[in-house]
Amino acid sequence: MAEHRTMQRDALLEAARSLLSEGGTEALTFPALAARTGLARSSVYEYFRSRAAVVEELCAVDFPVWAAEVEDAMERADTPQAKVEAYVRRQLALAGDRRHRAVVAISAGELDPGAREKIRAAHGGLITMVVDALAALGHDEPRLTATLLQGVVDAAVRRIELGAAEDPDRITRAAVSMALHGVAG
């Protein structure tokens, strides 16, 4: 029985990812989740009490997966500068992944304070990964610099998500250039 519940919960999360990546937070409704999974709407409420609860669960499940991918890319880099570049490039490469798109859609949406705090904490963990590399590059305030760097990454992700006029590779190159050289180019 527990295995069946786990399978249904996983199916609901997969449906939530699809809905979020296709239509943003507005698309994530319990009737839509029920329709995607073939469950009764009342069954959806047995797993999640609200949209925010679905969002929190997605963050808890998905964020560590791609944070680990970013960390892995950074560990393979051999200089502080290469680590910063890996930090930016890996996040932007993941931007096309449905798990990432779902979390981006979530963070853009209206959430209760608990869900927002979980997202903030997850982002904080991501930012912490690059602090040492920035300190090694001589930044006086590496934590602040890391936060600002993540702002550049987030803006590039949104640009890719929106299907901007530029090719995603151009957006990535521009974000890496900004991360490594600032506005000096």
Side-chain angles (χ1 to χ4, degrees):
M1 188 67 183
E3 189 177 322
H4 180 68
R5 284 191 62 78
T6 301
M7 284 172 53
Q8 287 188 331
R9 184 180 208 83
D10 290 348
L12 285 164
L13 291 175
E14 192 55 35
R17 280 182 202 103
S18 295
L19 290 165
L20 284 163
S21 66
E22 291 162 15
T25 47
E26 301 77 39
L28 180 62
T29 65
F30 279 29
L33 283 171
R36 286 280 169 109
T37 56
L39 294 170
R41 196 181 322 180
S42 58
S43 296
V44 177
Y45 283 100
E46 288 176 31
Y47 292 91
F48 301 105
R49 68 191 182 286
S50 65
R51 286 185 343 159
V54 177
V55 165
E56 285 184 49
E57 182 77 11
L58 276 176
C59 286
V61 170
D62 291 350
F63 207 99
V65 172
W66 46 274
E69 289 193 37
V70 173
E71 192 168 29
D72 185 51
M74 289 179 70
E75 283 173 4
R76 287 194 309 269
D78 51 3
T79 66
Q81 190 163 351
K83 287 182 185 305
V84 171
E85 182 169 350
Y87 177 83
V88 174
R89 282 193 183 279
R90 192 66 199 129
Q91 285 190 69
L92 296 180
L94 289 167
D97 182 278
R98 277 183 338 118
R99 290 168 184 260
H100 187 272
R101 279 206 306 270
V103 178
V104 169
I106 288 163
S107 48
E110 70 302 330
L111 297 174
D112 68 29
R116 245 196 312 275
E117 187 46 49
K118 280 203 167 87
I119 290 171
R120 248 195 308 278
H123 261 112
L126 203 56
I127 289 165
T128 298
M129 286 181 204
V130 77
V131 170
D132 288 346
L134 292 168
L137 289 172
H139 285 277
D140 291 340
E141 296 191 54
R143 179 92 196 164
L144 173 60
T145 304
T147 302
L148 297 174
L149 172 60
Q150 187 60 43
V152 169
V153 172
D154 291 343
V157 165
R158 277 193 301 278
R159 192 106 184 130
I160 290 169
E161 292 288 317
L162 292 170
E166 304 89 3
D167 175 65
D169 288 341
R170 278 185 60 203
I171 295 169
T172 299
R173 280 194 308 275
V176 168
S177 176
M178 189 158 214
L180 298 178
H181 312 294
V183 294

